[in-house]
Amino acid sequence: MGTSLVALGYQENWWKILTSGFMRNAFVGGTIVALAAGLIGYFVIVRNTAFAAHALAHIGLPGATGAVLVGLPVTFGLGVFCIGGALVIGALGKRAADREVATGTVLAFATGLGLFFNSLATKSSNTMTNVLFGNLLAISHRQILTFAMLLALLAVCIGVIYRPLLFTSVNPQVAEAKGVPVRALSVVFMALLGLSVTMAVQAVGTLLLFALVVTPAATAIMLTPRPAAAMFTSTVISAMSVWLGLGLSAMFNTPPSFVIVTIACGVWAAVWVMERGLRPAADRVLVT
């Protein structure tokens, strides 16, 4: 047993690490990001914009590298490009097919721009790595304050447009026929998604973004059909993934992003298997 723990990189001073200042920042910042992901994730699944969420994370890459190039905060650069790209996608893509074309086009241009900015600034290579894979342990007190303000803005906006946004997400044709501003709500939603992605990227990175924004929401929808309950469940799964991930990363000296992703995906897999196992049993009861 002792040998396997050493092989895993077990750290006996893990409690001291957990109670350190940088880890407290990681817990607070990660929790804020998890709350934001839980609020927006349900609508990402229902509106079939998972690809857009993933693309926005990559669209933020030139914003991060460009910010380093001109001496601005990385969060500011990420936000400008994520929200700006989201507005463009939302304005150009009313239908799902149009949205995917717009998303792919903006993503291709942004990726090329990010590589160009990265080639100009030698200091941006580390920034690029952090954006791709996340660096939750490097979140500062200033970033926490920024995240808290962004979360408050996101919560207020979701609360204001919740009912019409849910209507247009579930049945956009009927909503448009009843005079609901479908395109305007799509643009607003994409902007809020860009806001959430800005925070989530700094926790788990662009390559692992699905772990917080999409996977918990997909899990929650399998557990409950009620929108409010699904959003709450998604938030709980995201927060628990962050907390357990940070705790295990301190115990076994592993990257937090990897552990957070593993936990979130593990919960999804367990629920998926359970649902598929219960469904045939229910079908047999109905047939009988």
Side-chain angles (χ1 to χ4, degrees):
M1 185 68 175
T3 304
S4 62
L5 288 177
V6 171
L8 286 171
Y10 177 74
Q11 302 184 116
E12 295 182 355
N13 63 335
W14 61 269
W15 182 252
K16 183 178 180 180
I17 297 174
L18 277 180
T19 55
S20 61
F22 75 90
M23 190 61 81
R24 284 196 297 270
N25 285 346
F27 269 100
V28 175
T31 301
I32 293 174
V33 170
L35 292 174
L39 283 175
I40 203 73
Y42 173 81
F43 293 103
V44 171
I45 299 296
V46 175
R47 296 176 67 89
N48 296 316
T49 53
F51 173 56
H54 184 67
L56 285 176
H58 291 275
I59 291 170
L61 180 63
T65 54
V68 172
L69 189 63
V70 297
L72 293 174
V74 172
T75 303
F76 176 79
L78 273 171
V80 169
F81 271 72
C82 285
I83 297 174
L87 291 174
V88 173
I89 293 171
L92 295 180
K94 179 181 176 182
R95 297 179 301 174
D98 294 338
R99 188 167 55 243
E100 287 197 0
V101 172
T103 301
T105 302
V106 175
L107 173 60
F109 175 74
T111 302
L113 194 61
L115 292 174
F116 174 67
F117 286 161
N118 187 66
S119 67
L120 295 179
T122 55
K123 292 190 300 182
S124 66
S125 58
N126 186 51
T127 300
M128 196 170 192
T129 300
N130 289 339
V131 171
L132 288 174
F133 300 102
N135 193 0
L136 190 54
L137 300 181
I139 289 181
S140 64
H141 183 67
R142 179 178 295 181
Q143 284 178 305
I144 289 176
L145 294 177
T146 302
F147 287 178
M149 290 187 291
L150 294 178
L151 174 62
L153 176 63
L154 177 66
V156 170
C157 291
I158 290 292
V160 170
I161 67 173
Y162 175 77
R163 292 181 66 85
L165 180 62
L166 182 62
F167 190 13
T168 59
S169 300
V170 175
N171 201 330
Q173 290 80 16
V174 175
E176 188 172 24
K178 288 184 174 293
V180 179
V182 176
R183 181 179 289 275
L185 283 172
S186 177
V187 173
V188 172
F189 169 74
M190 289 302 298
L192 295 177
L193 178 58
L195 195 68
S196 304
V197 168
T198 300
M199 292 187 283
V201 161
Q202 295 175 75
V204 294
T206 61
L207 299 180
L208 308 176
L209 181 73
F210 268 58
L212 284 186
V213 176
V214 176
T215 305
T219 306
I221 289 174
M222 288 191 288
L223 292 172
T224 175
R226 294 180 297 172
M231 293 173 68
F232 175 77
T233 304
S234 174
T235 302
V236 170
I237 294 173
S238 294
M240 291 300 296
S241 298
V242 170
W243 297 341
L244 289 174
L246 285 171
L248 292 173
S249 69
M251 293 180 66
F252 297 103
N253 192 27
T254 54
S257 297
F258 163 73
V259 187
I260 292 170
V261 169
T262 301
I263 293 171
C265 293
V267 173
W268 173 84
V271 173
W272 186 86
V273 170
M274 181 180 66
E275 186 196 39
R276 294 303 185 276
L278 292 176
R279 186 179 297 173
D283 293 341
R284 287 195 298 271
V285 172
L286 290 175
V287 171
T288 304

